[in-house]
Every structure is written in C-alpha cells, then in structure tokens.
Amino acid sequence: MFVRILFLALIFTQCTTSTKTTTNQPAEDSASYMRYIPGAGGGKGILFTVPLKNPSKTLLINRFLINGIEVPAKIEDNLIIASVFYADREPTVENPNPEPMDPVLFNENTFEAVIYYSNDGVNDSLRVTNFTEEKQPLYP
C-alpha cells in the first residue's frame, strides 16, 4: 500500500512540474497610443504600438485586447500595431440624422492590453499596462 501511495505521489509531482512557462516575453511591458481625427470623411481613431524586444519570424498575434475590446493587430517593423477607427455614420433616406458611433476606446483615458500570441508553437499571453500618449503629428 505504501508503495502505491509513493508511486502516485511521484507521478503527481512529475505532472505538476512539467508545465512549460515562458519567461522570455517578446514585447516590452510599456507601449504608446495616438488618437487621430482625419480631415475629410469624418470619424476618429486610435492607434496602439507595442515595441518588440525579441522579434521572431515565428511570432504570431492571436488576439489583442484593449480594455477588454478586441482590436485587429499586426506585426510591422519590430512593433505590434493595433488600431481601431470609428467612422461617422452616413445619413440615409430612412435615417437622415443617424446617431454617431460610440468611440469607446477613443474616449478612454487609461489602457490595459492583453496580447495573446504564439511563438515557435508555444501559446502565451502578455499584459501591458504602461501606455503613454503620443500627439498626432501636424501636417502642413
């Protein structure tokens, strides 16, 4: 009986210690965002950038959540870039005065991102809470 208990304890400890965790995060824990309002066409948007510290050709962004809202993201020039645009609604015959779209993220003051990614076949996530605001450049 003692041997069985010892054997089960040995199996249990082997299973719990074999969990693989990644400590080599691919991105920084700080990021930036920029609000923008284009000229013609109306609407408004917000652009998020997270610098990569360990760029890899096998790195894939599975999901990018900002304050719980999923935003499309891509990897470009050693950055994770995610953006959302809130277009003004066009008037129609049925609705000549449409309500403007609620630019949820555009109106937020603080941001927290959770980035779900896979790298070399290993799935992991990264939480980014340190966002700084960049000003929209002025073009002549």
Side-chain angles (χ1 to χ4, degrees):
M1 180 70 173
F2 178 73
V3 174
R4 287 183 185 168
I5 293 173
L6 183 62
F7 181 71
L8 289 173
L10 181 62
I11 290 175
F12 179 72
T13 58
Q14 289 297 319
C15 290
T16 58
T17 58
S18 65
T19 305
K20 184 177 182 181
T21 58
T22 1
T23 57
N24 191 13
Q25 298 289 343
E28 301 290 339
D29 60 354
S30 62
S32 63
Y33 66 95
M34 180 178 60
R35 291 182 173 95
Y36 61 93
I37 299 174
K44 52 185 79 174
I46 188 162
L47 174 77
F48 299 94
T49 56
V50 181
L52 291 171
K53 63 181 178 182
N54 296 320
S56 168
K57 293 189 186 287
T58 61
L59 179 65
L60 297 172
I61 305 301
N62 300 328
R63 290 180 76 197
F64 192 98
L65 298 175
I66 297 283
N67 294 359
I69 299 171
E70 188 163 357
V71 176
K74 61 183 177 180
I75 299 173
E76 191 175 288
D77 297 330
N78 296 332
L79 293 172
I80 299 172
I81 298 174
S83 69
V84 62
F85 183 73
Y86 300 99
D88 286 342
R89 294 193 174 138
E90 294 290 323
T92 62
V93 174
E94 296 84 26
N95 190 3
N97 298 314
E99 288 291 319
M101 186 178 286
D102 185 16
V104 178
L105 290 175
F106 189 87
N107 294 332
E108 293 289 325
N109 292 321
T110 59
F111 299 100
E112 180 177 301
V114 179
I115 304 167
Y116 296 93
Y117 66 92
S118 59
N119 197 2
D120 290 328
V122 177
N123 293 326
D124 206 346
S125 65
L126 170 68
R127 184 175 303 275
V128 179
T129 57
N130 190 14
F131 279 89
T132 56
E133 184 173 10
E134 293 182 16
K135 298 295 178 193
Q136 181 178 4
L138 297 175
Y139 296 109

